[in-house]
Amino acid sequence: MLPALAERLKLLTQTGPDTDMGRLLRTFWQPVATGHSIKAGSAQPLRVMGEDLTLYRGDSGRAYLVAGRCAHRRSLLHTGWVQGEDIRCIYHGWKYAGDGQCTEAPAEGPAAAARIRIAGYPLHEYCGLIFAYLGEGPAPAFDLPRKEAFEEPNVIVRSRIQVWPCNWFQMVENSLDAVHVSFVHLAGKVGPFGEAVTAAIPKLDYSETDAGIRQVATRSETNVRVSDWAFPNNNHIVTPGYSKNAPWVHRGVWNVPVDDTHTYKVGVYAFPSTTPEEDRTTLEHFEKHSDYNPADHHDELFIDRSWPEDPSLQLTPAQDYVAIMGQGDVVDRTQERLGKSDAGIALLRKIFWREMEAMRGGRPTKTWRRLAHAEELPVQGARREASAAR
Amino acid sequence: MLPALAERLKLLTQTGPDTDMGRLLRTFWQPVATGHSIKAGSAQPLRVMGEDLTLYRGDSGRAYLVAGRCAHRRSLLHTGWVQGEDIRCIYHGWKYAGDGQCTEAPAEGPAAAARIRIAGYPLHEYCGLIFAYLGEGPAPAFDLPRKEAFEEPNVIVRSRIQVWPCNWFQMVENSLDAVHVSFVHLAGKVGPFGEAVTAAIPKLDYSETDAGIRQVATRSETNVRVSDWAFPNNNHIVTPGYSKNAPWVHRGVWNVPVDDTHTYKVGVYAFPSTTPEEDRTTLEHFEKHSDYNPADHHDELFIDRSWPEDPSLQLTPAQDYVAIMGQGDVVDRTQERLGKSDAGIALLRKIFWREMEAMRGGRPTKTWRRLAHAEELPVQGARREASAAR
Amino acid sequence: MLPALAERLKLLTQTGPDTDMGRLLRTFWQPVATGHSIKAGSAQPLRVMGEDLTLYRGDSGRAYLVAGRCAHRRSLLHTGWVQGEDIRCIYHGWKYAGDGQCTEAPAEGPAAAARIRIAGYPLHEYCGLIFAYLGEGPAPAFDLPRKEAFEEPNVIVRSRIQVWPCNWFQMVENSLDAVHVSFVHLAGKVGPFGEAVTAAIPKLDYSETDAGIRQVATRSETNVRVSDWAFPNNNHIVTPGYSKNAPWVHRGVWNVPVDDTHTYKVGVYAFPSTTPEEDRTTLEHFEKHSDYNPADHHDELFIDRSWPEDPSLQLTPAQDYVAIMGQGDVVDRTQERLGKSDAGIALLRKIFWREMEAMRGGRPTKTWRRLAHAEELPVQGARREASAAR
């Protein structure tokens, strides 16, 4: 049985290895880095759900994820040397394979090395992202994170990762909160997202699916927004393109805990290819603006109250950032006043608590699977006609 | 009954809503911002005695002070929109009147809105400052903070606020500590304040008044300094003007807790108007130097040991800052060694403890009121003749 | 009796006045500042083993070390005035002699002053460093820190101090860890130190001496490294000179706790004088590069992975910094896996625990004394011949 409400609200926010949520999240593949952030033969530190890890690519180019520190005297492994497919500690040269097995302990000898193992986690690269499985036992098939829209023949895929200094769960809640779009995304300049959804209050519909939650927000007959949210932390939406006539973009967004006060906001952007000319324009726009992270502009947003220029890749996340970070690094949910329009958030929490309770009780959790048929995610709003006509 | 000494000393420093001192301070009007810091139609965050608040001016120009966060999902209100005399949250558009009443909850409807209220506090603008009453029940008449000297017909009034990163009470104690002037204000270059009081050790006299404490420090027959300190945290002194022949300035200084390790140092400066020429010189001097805050120069003062240029508006507060911040962010009073020359501090604490004890016991606290006749605050020292002769 | 292992490991890292290690360390002279860092008639704050102190030189040039704060109202003493051989507080002018006796309390009178005393500690200047004795009772003779090599007639001596943001004990352990040289000092560019020791795994020999621990690392017949480590925190080694033909340098390195997460890395460098020309070159090199502190380049070293230019005074400490800081600010020794090659570390801890246990039990601790005959510290490696031939 889960504890009383205040404690249950706290459970949603704690993701370390010894927490209920931490155990649950670790049964899923999670994107933890962009593929291009790490070169063959190099290593870097990586923090995921409160665990300090070492991400490296072997000389072959294959990526590995092992513990952050050497078993011996606890120095960070990423400061050492990648040698072949192994990584060697700077301090006394202990060497580890990508699965965490110690393969050499120079001043101790081979028998000692054979007895030593550090954490090592399976990785899978997809859509320009490195996904990791941090759970115990064998990793599940890499299926739930996949989306047809990202794999279509004529699609160009890009990805980016930001770190926001707040708890992951208020970022997830924002995905299941269709009303916020009517206010947050009108702040500052109105970007195409604001244009697309308008300030009207939507009629809401949330329903559990095989994959997670289907969210429908109906603002008018021609303005229906659907998103396909996959358990435990991925949202799949469509958003307006970067220019007036550009096709809408499929976006997958994951909120992955760095630790309980920092979160990776991981985005996949799938642009339908059109003409070489327009493809290049779209990609140039993406390259130019996608390294924006509102967390680097905190004081501008909260004190100076000035908004970034680019509407899609800068303004939209900046607007969400102001609303979500404005709740504090971990929002105090004991003080909130939820209403009927928070139906998505209520359903979300109910599902998480159900799954945590099953896990605690040793009962099977739900087997989440990719939808048999991709959800149709309609484009809408003022710019719908142009886009839909393509 | 109040607890033992170590605990009673701690009571002096704790000002949150649930503390003895916090409850006591909240029964007084407190200056919390300069009027010019906030424009009509805009909002900003404000922290007072550990409470996070939203200060805004309606489109009419009237100022309001409400809770820092929206009741709904706890996002900061100042990032939203001022609309008429109300403020609307960025996240889901909940709107509040200046008294904290929710007037609109767009996705929830009017009945829900009517049931929602956040904190809202009365404000009063005076001498270019915004005063707030954060207590329960109706605010007292705005009388105790007033001074005749600020309201005289021929007086020019200016104000400024600094934040110092230390506890409020050691700043208040400094006001009731006449001896410090003989040392602290000789540090670095000797400013006019140092000239005016000299290094002689004064004969001290402290007595409780209707308003607070009358402090008299006699260094010689012609060097008598009197200050009129009003409970709980205002000092009224006169200080030399900004140039050799300028008249002395009436100063009101409040020390208002931001929280228990930060304090607003609020100053009102009343300059007697003389000639248009001299008035302009005085005001230009004030504008040029009054945005100095020693806290922005901490390392210069503590490590490089270099003092600011302007003697009145920069050096004098910098000297106090070094002495007071040098005690630590919250001075450890269990380690202090008070002497007979700390009579003002002893009286100050005795009065605070008496009032807190009354409040705890449900007995009436003292009704502090403005002095029937303004205290005469003599100018003194080397520059006395020139000034007094005006 | 000392407690169980996890607690005993923690004892090694805690150095405040009320800890076992703190009491033990305080029975030794410790270098706490370079002599040139403080001028006659000036004062500065100094933190040693968690105590906040005031270091000043009287007008005579003699150095004194007293408590950080005035007994009266706890303001920092270094912001006041050095007057003759005394120091006066900025706040109310209380004056103290170099032994901590209050000599004047202006507003309290002489009888009050006579009753007041703050901490005052003996100092001794040696090799350009100021050593302090922070223990109770009379200081021992200043003998253990001395080294013949620093006092030879033809030797030029220089010193420097860095602060590293980690616990002192992992820095001491690094001194008794000969294997690390084979890996750490090959990182980045290979400096002369790397050349001198090579990557071969040494045969190790550690033995307790009258002064501390003799460490011998034999990599080959012609590559034998000996160091003379003196209890509780000094290492004496020889390292290659700054240019191909320069003689090897005698180095004394102390690791003195600032507090439990910061450490002074104090170095004495004794260069044998050769020709005026070469002496000047060596000193110019030292002046140019010795103000490098890897802690000022933390992100360059850990994130950008870029190494400093100069091999001796910059690269070598940077390499150690990466290995030692990589363990965390206080390494979690309950997670380590020591091996046979950690014999020096094991002996080091055993000795410390033995001494702490004696102190706890009220039994005499060992009387450590300088070796009767200086340890011969052979130069070695590729550059041995040139150097040894001088």
Side-chain angles (χ1 to χ4, degrees), chain A residues 220-232:
Chain A
S220 75
E221 216 170 294
T222 57
N223 190 320
V224 179
R225 197 171 169 239
V226 176
S227 57
D228 165 23
W229 183 84
F231 196 84

Side-chain angles (χ1 to χ4, degrees), chain C residues 177-258:
Chain C
D177 172 3
V179 176
H180 89 274
V181 181
S182 302
F183 296 92
V184 174
H185 295 300
L186 301 183
K189 323 171 201 359
V190 175
F193 202 25
E195 279 178 58
V197 295
T198 83
I201 301 301
K203 195 175 140 311
L204 301 169
D205 184 74
Y206 293 93
S207 52
E208 187 169 342
T209 67
D210 286 350
I213 296 174
R214 182 176 189 264
Q215 172 175 237
V216 184
T218 306
R219 282 177 170 82
S220 74
E221 215 169 293
T222 57
N223 190 320
V224 179
R225 197 171 169 237
V226 176
S227 59
D228 165 23
W229 183 84
F231 197 84
N233 59 346
N234 171 260
N235 203 17
H236 178 193
I237 57 177
V238 290
T239 57
Y242 305 151
S243 59
K244 206 142 187 91
N245 297 317
W248 282 45
V249 176
H250 278 266
R251 288 191 51 197
V253 185
W254 285 262
N255 303 120
V256 181
V258 176

Side-chain angles (χ1 to χ4, degrees), chain C residues 118-130:
Chain C
I118 57 175
Y121 298 113
L123 298 181
H124 184 94
E125 302 206 31
Y126 178 71
C127 284
L129 293 171
I130 300 175

Side-chain angles (χ1 to χ4, degrees), chain C residues 179-366:
Chain C
V179 176
H180 89 274
V181 181
S182 302
F183 296 92
V184 174
H185 295 300
L186 301 183
K189 323 171 201 359
V190 175
F193 202 25
E195 279 178 58
V197 295
T198 83
I201 301 301
K203 195 175 140 311
L204 301 169
D205 184 74
Y206 293 93
S207 52
E208 187 169 342
T209 67
D210 286 350
I213 296 174
R214 182 176 189 264
Q215 172 175 237
V216 184
T218 306
R219 282 177 170 82
S220 74
E221 215 169 293
T222 57
N223 190 320
V224 179
R225 197 171 169 237
V226 176
S227 59
D228 165 23
W229 183 84
F231 197 84
N233 59 346
N234 171 260
N235 203 17
H236 178 193
I237 57 177
V238 290
T239 57
Y242 305 151
S243 59
K244 206 142 187 91
N245 297 317
W248 282 45
V249 176
H250 278 266
R251 288 191 51 197
V253 185
W254 285 262
N255 303 120
V256 181
V258 176
D259 51 35
D260 294 344
T261 52
H262 295 83
T263 303
Y264 295 114
K265 183 179 162 74
V266 180
V268 166
Y269 300 75
F271 319 100
S273 175
T274 53
T275 64
E277 172 72 15
E278 197 166 280
D279 288 357
R280 207 180 56 238
T281 306
T282 294
L283 284 173
E284 277 171 8
H285 188 91
F286 184 85
E287 296 306 331
K288 190 171 168 192
H289 298 293
S290 68
D291 61 353
Y292 177 84
N293 180 356
D296 299 335
H297 300 264
H298 186 94
D299 287 358
E300 288 165 44
L301 294 168
F302 278 91
I303 299 174
D304 310 343
R305 313 291 304 283
S306 83
W307 297 99
E309 276 308 311
D310 171 69
S312 295
L313 292 159
Q314 299 187 342
L315 179 62
T316 303
Q319 291 163 329
D320 280 325
Y321 181 85
V322 169
I324 293 169
M325 276 306 306
Q327 298 178 288
D329 56 355
V330 186
V331 60
D332 181 357
R333 289 181 175 78
T334 64
Q335 299 297 311
E336 70 193 0
R337 296 275 297 255
L338 297 195
K340 64 183 186 203
S341 62
D342 298 300
I345 288 168
L347 177 59
L348 177 78
R349 295 181 189 177
K350 206 181 83 180
I351 294 174
F352 269 103
W353 284 325
R354 181 190 74 202
E355 297 297 299
M356 283 193 266
E357 192 159 356
M359 192 168 248
R360 231 186 226 209
R363 295 189 302 279
T365 53
K366 174 166 172 174

Side-chain angles (χ1 to χ4, degrees), chain A residues 65-366:
Chain A
L65 187 64
V66 297
R69 298 175 180 282
C70 178
H72 178 212
R73 306 249 355 264
R74 317 286 305 154
S75 201
L76 292 169
L77 282 177
H78 84 273
T79 65
W81 297 269
V82 173
Q83 295 184 331
E85 302 303 290
D86 291 0
I87 188 160
R88 189 188 285 282
C89 179
I90 191 177
Y91 210 167
H92 306 86
W94 290 23
K95 204 166 86 170
Y96 299 90
D99 64 355
Q101 175 60 49
C102 183
T103 55
E104 214 183 292
E108 299 295 327
R115 285 191 303 270
I116 289 157
R117 177 182 273 278
I118 57 176
Y121 298 113
L123 298 181
H124 184 95
E125 302 206 31
Y126 178 71
C127 284
L129 293 170
I130 299 176
F131 285 75
Y133 181 75
L134 271 68
E136 294 183 3
F142 189 86
D143 192 59
L144 186 60
R146 293 172 59 192
K147 297 280 174 189
E148 283 176 23
F150 302 161
E151 301 181 8
E152 274 175 13
N154 247 337
V155 90
I156 301 168
V157 177
R158 288 294 181 276
S159 54
R160 66 167 168 171
I161 296 189
Q162 301 170 358
V163 175
W164 287 15
C166 66
N167 185 263
W168 78 294
F169 202 75
Q170 63 212 58
M171 294 173 69
V172 174
E173 287 179 335
N174 190 60
S175 297
L176 276 311
D177 172 3
V179 176
H180 89 272
V181 180
S182 302
F183 297 93
V184 174
H185 295 298
L186 301 183
K189 323 169 202 1
V190 175
F193 202 26
E195 280 179 56
V197 295
T198 83
I201 301 300
K203 195 175 139 308
L204 301 171
D205 184 74
Y206 294 92
S207 52
E208 187 170 342
T209 66
D210 287 349
I213 296 174
R214 181 174 190 265
Q215 171 175 238
V216 185
T218 306
R219 281 176 171 84
S220 75
E221 216 170 294
T222 57
N223 190 320
V224 179
R225 197 171 169 239
V226 176
S227 57
D228 165 23
W229 183 84
F231 196 84
N233 59 346
N234 170 261
N235 202 17
H236 179 192
I237 58 178
V238 289
T239 57
Y242 306 151
S243 60
K244 211 150 183 84
N245 298 317
W248 281 46
V249 177
H250 279 267
R251 289 191 50 197
V253 185
W254 286 262
N255 303 120
V256 181
V258 176
D259 51 34
D260 294 345
T261 53
H262 295 82
T263 304
Y264 295 114
K265 183 179 162 76
V266 180
V268 167
Y269 300 75
F271 320 102
S273 174
T274 54
T275 64
E277 173 74 14
E278 197 167 280
D279 288 356
R280 209 181 52 238
T281 306
T282 294
L283 284 174
E284 277 172 7
H285 189 91
F286 184 84
E287 297 305 330
K288 188 170 169 192
H289 298 293
S290 69
D291 61 353
Y292 177 84
N293 180 356
D296 299 334
H297 301 263
H298 186 95
D299 287 358
E300 287 165 44
L301 295 168
F302 279 91
I303 299 174
D304 310 343
R305 313 290 305 281
S306 84
W307 296 100
E309 275 308 312
D310 171 70
S312 295
L313 292 159
Q314 300 187 340
L315 179 62
T316 304
Q319 291 163 328
D320 281 323
Y321 182 85
V322 169
I324 293 169
M325 275 307 305
Q327 298 178 289
D329 56 355
V330 186
V331 60
D332 181 358
R333 289 181 176 79
T334 65
Q335 298 297 310
E336 71 193 1
R337 296 275 296 255
L338 296 194
K340 64 182 186 205
S341 62
D342 298 299
I345 288 168
L347 176 59
L348 177 77
R349 296 180 188 178
K350 205 182 83 181
I351 293 174
F352 269 103
W353 284 324
R354 181 192 72 204
E355 296 298 299
M356 283 193 266
E357 192 159 356
M359 192 168 247
R360 228 184 229 209
R363 295 187 304 278
T365 53
K366 174 166 173 175

Side-chain angles (χ1 to χ4, degrees), chain B residues 1-72:
Chain B
M1 268 263 304
L2 292 184
L5 184 61
E7 270 312 297
R8 277 157 61 209
L9 290 167
K10 208 175 278 177
L11 289 183
L12 300 169
T13 63
Q14 298 171 333
T15 66
D18 298 328
T19 63
D20 290 284
M21 182 63 93
R23 271 184 290 271
L24 182 57
L25 285 181
R26 279 170 176 76
T27 63
F28 294 85
W29 285 98
Q30 300 285 353
V32 296
T34 57
H36 60 74
S37 69
I38 179 115
K39 285 192 198 121
S42 75
Q44 62 192 36
L46 190 74
R47 190 166 167 82
V48 183
M49 295 187 268
E51 286 184 62
D52 285 311
L53 304 169
T54 306
L55 175 68
Y56 71 95
R57 281 197 195 278
D59 290 335
S60 71
R62 186 171 160 191
Y64 302 95
L65 187 64
V66 297
R69 296 174 181 283
C70 179
H72 178 212

